[in-house]
Amino acid sequence: MCSIIAYLGLSPAAPIIVKGLKRMEYRGYDSVGVATFSNNQILVRKGVGKVLEVNKIAKLDELSGTVGIGHTRWATHGGVTETNAHPHPSSAGEIAIVHNGIIQNHEELKKELQQKGYMFKSQTDSEVISNLLQYHYDKVKEIKKAVLATVSELKGDYAFAAVFEDGTLAAARLHEPLIIGIGKDGYFISSDVLGFVEHTDEVIYLDNKEFVIINNSGIKVFDFDAKPVQHKITKVSKEFADAYKGDYAHFTLKEISEQPATIPNASNSTRLELDLATDFVKHAKTLYITGSGTSYNAALIAKFLFSKYAKIKIEPIISSEVQFSPNMFEQQSILIALSQSGESADVLEAVKIAKDAGAKIISIVNMMTSSLVHLSSISIGLNCGPEIGVAATKSFTSQLTVLYKIVDKICGNCIGLDLNKVSESITKILSDHSGIQEIARKLKDISDIYVLGRGIHYPIASEASLKLKELTYIHAEGLPGGELKHGPLALMDSNTYVIMINPNDSTYSDTLTSAQEIKARGAKIIGISDKPSDVYDYWVEIPQVDESVYPIIEIVPVQLLAYYAALEKDTDPDYPRNLAKSVTVK
Ligand code: G6P
């Protein structure tokens, strides 16, 4: 989703900003722009496309000045056009802003400002911020007062950074992240630590309803009541610096390959929280689990684990659907929120609804500095390092691992979870990609693929189909095996491929029967199993493991298949079209 970066210091700002934007590309975007302050004026350059493409044409990094702001935009209000790209200058051109989030009352504000003579060029909600700042600045001639007056009028969720014609930077946040970096020769403001981590690991996390003013005499933070705020400088983990592809062609492949190491690491830095969470869950009156996308698929797996091993009922609910189920939560309800980023707006909204009803929140999250962590009673870290590829891979298996750990604790170690064995099995799957690459070549020209699984393997089938959709743009659908004859069988013919998630457990023979029924209609069968069968046109072998942990390992070959099929189709596996890594708008 959109990214913000700003810099004020001794070095030329534009190259630093462009590099920062490049680093945050993984968040997903469609246009890019930079504004700098130079020779008492604000210069703006922007365009549609990837950072390097736009930079080649618009020479963003050649803008002069040592103060500037930059942005990658993921369109919400207004189409993908150069005019709608950020930064947006005020109509007088004395202030320019970049913005993440949504200004809900932009239409009213725009009308009022237009009546006062301020002009608008774009169709965005964001442009009201620059003109509103300009309006207040014209009145009070003081940046702090202008920012305060502006935030008191804006409604919605936002983070914005502004550069003023005197070379001052200002930035404010309301429910959207904003982080300040304190470098040796300059200050940074960004929506993501990755935007500046190569320059400094010393940061200040702005709290909600705070703003910062940075100029050559230093940095000042205030809350929305104008009170000065003192923040401690924290050091971000050096792991952020690992967010490079290394020898891998893509982040997605790197992250798939890291799973033998990330799985045993899940929750290790938050052992105490794991114990506490287990206790909370045991004493919950009613128990819910929520997430979006991949995280929701992990929530579905939890339903099976909790009922089978812990004998506890847990209700999974898609985060964006929570608002339509009023009165779901009560005092002593527990909501487990799953999120890699901890910033998905749908998840945060679900959590707020649950909290308002008196529920307690346990979050299972990778970004321990995220908004979700701030909203939770207990947060358990996935601890799997930055995940840059838009399609979640290692965070999914880490989420499963944490859920297994909780369940295993509750049932007195009845699963006997052996993460080293799980990790060894995944290493085996990853040791030879050739078979999967061969199947990927077959998928190049197909338009539909189905993934079938029964019981706990059905959510894995859904996750597998999500990976295929995201990475290859092939229509993919996860099916519960038993439902085949209730409709989907009508779709099976010789143009169809079906992946069977079929480990040798209690679901095995029923799933094999489904495979035969599908094969009889001419479809091609890809079997993911530890047991070979003649019914499979392609057999992807997985190691035999304890029945309970098949779900953690069986998703890995499909992650690889989706990755290689994306290469065959010439799509970008790290940055699928139209998608964003962390969807911070509803
Ligand atoms: C976006 C991403 C998905 C991800 C989902 C939830 O839609 O494209 O890959 O699964 O958000 O993200 P979260 O960070 O909350 O787990």
Side-chain angles (χ1 to χ4, degrees):
M1 205 119 278
C2 309
S3 298
I4 289 174
I5 174 92
Y7 171 79
L8 181 148
L10 300 176
S11 309
I16 291 175
I17 288 168
V18 170
K19 257 192 159 178
L21 292 173
K22 178 94 191 71
R23 187 72 55 71
M24 294 187 286
E25 276 191 313
Y26 77 98
R27 292 161 64 99
Y29 67 102
D30 40 55
S31 50
V32 54
V34 176
T36 57
F37 162 75
S38 176
N39 290 328
N40 298 320
Q41 53 170 336
I42 290 171
L43 313 167
V44 182
R45 289 182 189 172
K46 50 192 182 176
V48 170
K50 295 274 179 207
V51 174
L52 292 184
E53 287 161 16
V54 176
N55 191 44
K56 211 166 168 190
I57 297 161
K59 310 263 182 268
L60 307 172
D61 60 356
E62 290 180 16
L63 281 168
S64 55
T66 58
V67 182
I69 57 177
H71 192 259
T72 48
R73 172 176 188 252
W74 190 81
T76 56
H77 292 66
V80 180
T81 62
E82 185 178 323
T83 314
N84 287 338
H86 299 212
H88 291 289
S90 61
S91 54
E94 291 167 12
I95 300 167
I97 65 98
V98 288
H99 161 234
N100 287 357
I102 288 174
I103 304 298
Q104 272 158 5
N105 58 340
H106 69 277
E107 278 172 7
E108 300 134 65
L109 290 171
K110 187 170 174 175
K111 257 188 218 142
E112 287 168 22
L113 287 160
Q114 278 170 327
Q115 277 159 12
K116 290 179 179 124
Y118 292 84
M119 268 131 40
F120 287 78
K121 287 189 183 141
S122 78
Q123 301 151 321
T124 65
D125 54 334
S126 310
E127 199 177 358
V128 293
I129 303 174
S130 51
N131 275 329
L132 196 57
L133 277 171
Q134 181 79 59
Y135 165 67
H136 289 296
Y137 187 63
D138 289 344
K139 275 207 322 201
V140 295
K141 292 283 169 215
E142 193 196 308
I143 290 175
K144 181 182 163 191
K145 283 187 181 156
V147 174
L148 271 168
T150 299
V151 296
S152 73
E153 286 190 62
L154 295 177
K155 290 204 179 102
D157 293 347
Y158 56 81
F160 69 79
V163 57
F164 286 75
E165 215 190 27
D166 66 351
T168 299
L169 287 179
R173 71 162 288 216
L174 183 65
H175 302 304
E176 288 279 339
L178 215 47
I179 302 148
I180 299 162
I182 317 282
K184 281 203 181 70
D185 70 355
Y187 298 102
F188 304 82
I189 302 169
S190 184
S191 45
D192 187 327
V193 175
L194 280 177
F196 56 73
V197 77
E198 71 172 313
H199 302 282
T200 179
D201 60 355
E202 300 211 323
V203 307
I204 289 173
Y205 289 97
L206 272 195
D207 275 335
N208 227 7
K209 297 193 178 174
E210 285 183 358
F211 67 99
V212 60
I213 293 177
I214 303 178
N215 54 29
N216 287 330
S217 45
I219 166 173
K220 283 189 181 135
V221 180
F222 303 94
D223 64 20
F224 282 9
D225 295 323
K227 287 198 205 83
V229 181
Q230 295 297 333
H231 272 288
K232 271 204 197 124
I233 296 178
T234 36
K235 278 206 182 268
V236 289
S237 154
K238 277 286 177 200
E239 69 178 11
F240 281 104
D242 294 344
Y244 296 99
K245 285 193 287 244
D247 291 336
Y248 290 96
H250 296 97
F251 283 114
T252 305
L253 182 59
K254 175 177 179 257
E255 288 153 11
I256 293 171
S257 309
E258 281 170 352
Q259 291 175 107
T262 51
I263 287 170
N265 237 357
S267 82
N268 272 358
S269 59
T270 46
R271 281 196 187 131
L272 182 69
E273 284 75 8
L274 194 71
D275 288 343
L276 273 174
T278 307
D279 208 49
F280 265 49
V281 167
K282 274 198 216 155
H283 297 104
K285 194 164 170 199
T286 45
L287 189 58
Y288 301 90
I289 183 160
T290 194
S292 302
T294 292
S295 296
Y296 176 65
N297 288 330
L300 289 174
I301 297 275
K303 180 181 167 178
F304 286 89
L305 295 178
F306 276 75
S307 68
K308 181 166 180 185
Y309 299 106
K311 318 262 183 287
I312 290 178
K313 192 177 149 215
I314 185 166
E315 191 179 326
I317 178 152
I318 295 175
S319 296
S320 57
E321 292 288 316
V322 168
Q323 59 184 307
F324 306 112
S325 291
N327 311 320
M328 198 164 96
F329 304 104
E330 54 192 325
Q331 297 283 341
Q332 292 165 42
S333 286
I334 298 279
L335 175 66
I336 303 180
L338 297 170
S339 176
Q340 188 285 128
S341 60
E343 298 296 351
S344 294
D346 290 331
V347 179
L348 297 180
E349 177 77 11
V351 161
K352 281 176 206 153
I353 293 170
K355 279 187 81 163
D356 286 348
K360 290 229 160 25
I361 311 298
I362 300 173
S363 57
I364 300 178
V365 62
N366 198 29
M367 302 300 278
M368 292 305 277
T369 50
S370 61
S371 309
L372 179 57
V373 172
H374 291 292
L375 292 171
S376 308
S377 302
I378 302 172
S379 294
I380 301 172
L382 297 179
N383 215 17
C384 66
E387 187 177 69
I388 306 295
V390 166
T393 53
K394 62 177 178 175
S395 65
F396 177 66
T397 48
S398 294
Q399 286 171 335
L400 295 190
T401 305
V402 173
L403 292 167
Y404 270 84
K405 279 187 165 183
I406 293 175
V407 170
D408 208 19
K409 263 181 192 287
I410 295 175
C411 73
N413 210 18
C414 70
I415 301 178
L417 192 62
D418 182 344
L419 291 177
N420 290 330
K421 270 209 183 131
V422 171
S423 168
E424 275 165 28
S425 304
I426 294 180
T427 305
K428 247 188 222 161
I429 295 171
L430 294 171
S431 64
D432 183 6
H433 296 192
S434 57
I436 289 174
Q437 282 172 300
E438 190 198 324
I439 304 170
R441 283 193 279 278
K442 308 280 178 205
L443 301 188
K444 190 172 173 211
D445 299 315
I446 67 161
S447 54
D448 302 281
I449 188 160
Y450 298 91
V451 191
L452 187 141
R454 279 171 191 263
I456 199 164
H457 310 295
Y458 168 51
I460 292 294
S462 299
E463 173 57 13
S465 75
L466 182 59
K467 289 303 89 133
L468 288 157
K469 268 178 222 163
E470 288 175 314
L471 296 186
T472 69
Y473 315 155
I474 297 170
H475 164 246
E477 216 176 305
L479 300 174
E483 283 297 285
L484 187 66
K485 50 192 173 301
H486 299 298
L489 206 50
L491 302 166
M492 301 300 156
D493 62 22
S494 54
N495 297 318
T496 319
Y497 273 72
V498 183
I499 299 175
M500 315 294 298
I501 310 285
N502 198 19
N504 190 15
D505 65 4
S506 57
T507 65
Y508 180 80
S509 44
D510 283 347
T511 303
L512 206 65
T513 306
S514 303
Q516 262 135 9
E517 287 166 2
I518 294 166
K519 180 123 178 174
R521 273 76 188 177
K524 297 270 181 308
I525 311 277
I526 302 167
I528 298 192
S529 183
D530 38 349
K531 226 174 148 182
S533 164
D534 289 345
V535 75
Y536 303 144
D537 294 278
Y538 305 94
W539 174 40
V540 178
E541 186 178 1
I542 53 168
Q544 199 176 9
V545 289
D546 192 272
E547 170 161 349
S548 57
V549 293
Y550 277 121
I552 312 184
I553 71 160
E554 67 201 13
I555 188 61
V556 176
V558 193
Q559 294 172 341
L560 270 185
L561 181 63
Y563 169 75
Y564 282 112
L567 298 191
E568 290 297 327
K569 296 203 69 174
D570 216 9
T571 65
D572 185 338
D574 286 342
Y575 311 114
R577 69 182 179 204
N578 306 337
L579 299 180
K581 180 73 182 157
S582 93
V583 181
T584 53
V585 290
K586 286 217 304 163

